[in-house]
Amino acid sequence: TVSFHDDSDEDLLNI
Amino acid sequence: DKATNPLNKDLDWDGINAFCEQLNKELEGPPLATRLLAHKIQSPQEWEAIQALTVLESCMKSCGKRFHDEVGKFRFLNELIKVVSPKYLGSRTPEKVKSKILELMYSWTLGLPHEVKISEAYQMLKKQGIVKC
């Protein structure tokens, strides 16, 4: 489950 | 379900407004909403994708920072990028869906300039020639 305080993110997809 | 069920062939604005209100109320509302909408925006059924994009557009207008921040993450933006990119889903996606995604992203670069990842993603699409005008 995603935490309410989740500030994590992925990298921008390069196409 | 009312807002995003593709069997509903007309937009249900009461349902859409209720969806936006609910996602504001729930702690996990924004990540849950973005995951649901991303999945539907990637649907090969044009209506399902357009419907979900309309819900996304409406919620971006009426919801606050928590939702803007979630949409403004690459985690969600990457899912939109996949729909417009020929390397992923772009070849089988109707032009209407791709155009709406690019229009929404452009509008957010103007209306939400502090969501820098949206601008970064949009600039990348321009550089790659996905944004034609």
Side-chain angles (χ1 to χ4, degrees), chain B residues 74-121:
Chain B
F74 293 138
R75 180 178 291 129
F76 178 72
L77 295 168
N78 286 344
E79 300 308 314
L80 298 184
I81 289 167
K82 285 176 190 172
V83 179
V84 299
S85 167
K87 280 190 190 167
Y88 292 88
L89 306 172
S91 311
R92 62 99 162 136
T93 302
E95 285 306 314
K96 190 176 171 184
V97 174
K98 290 190 279 191
S99 293
K100 188 152 180 83
I101 288 174
L102 295 175
E103 283 167 20
L104 285 178
M105 288 181 70
Y106 176 66
S107 75
W108 299 333
T109 65
L110 297 180
L112 301 167
H114 53 281
E115 295 290 348
V116 295
K117 291 179 180 178
I118 297 178
S119 297
E120 195 177 327

Side-chain angles (χ1 to χ4, degrees), chain A residues 2-4 6-15, chain B residues 27-28 35 66 73-75 78 81 87 117 124 128:
Chain A
V2 178
S3 158
F4 174 57
D6 182 10
D7 290 326
S8 69
D9 196 7
E10 299 169 6
D11 293 330
L12 174 61
L13 193 67
N14 273 314
I15 57 168
Chain B
L27 281 184
E28 306 299 335
R35 283 212 290 272
R66 282 201 317 137
K73 288 183 176 178
F74 293 138
R75 180 178 291 129
N78 286 344
I81 289 167
K87 280 190 190 167
K117 291 179 180 178
M124 186 276 289
Q128 297 295 347

Side-chain angles (χ1 to χ4, degrees), chain B residues 4 19 33-41 52 55-56 67 76:
Chain B
T4 63
F19 181 96
T34 50
R35 283 212 290 272
L36 171 68
L37 291 174
H39 179 75
K40 285 182 168 285
I41 288 166
V55 174
L56 174 63
F67 188 60
F76 178 72

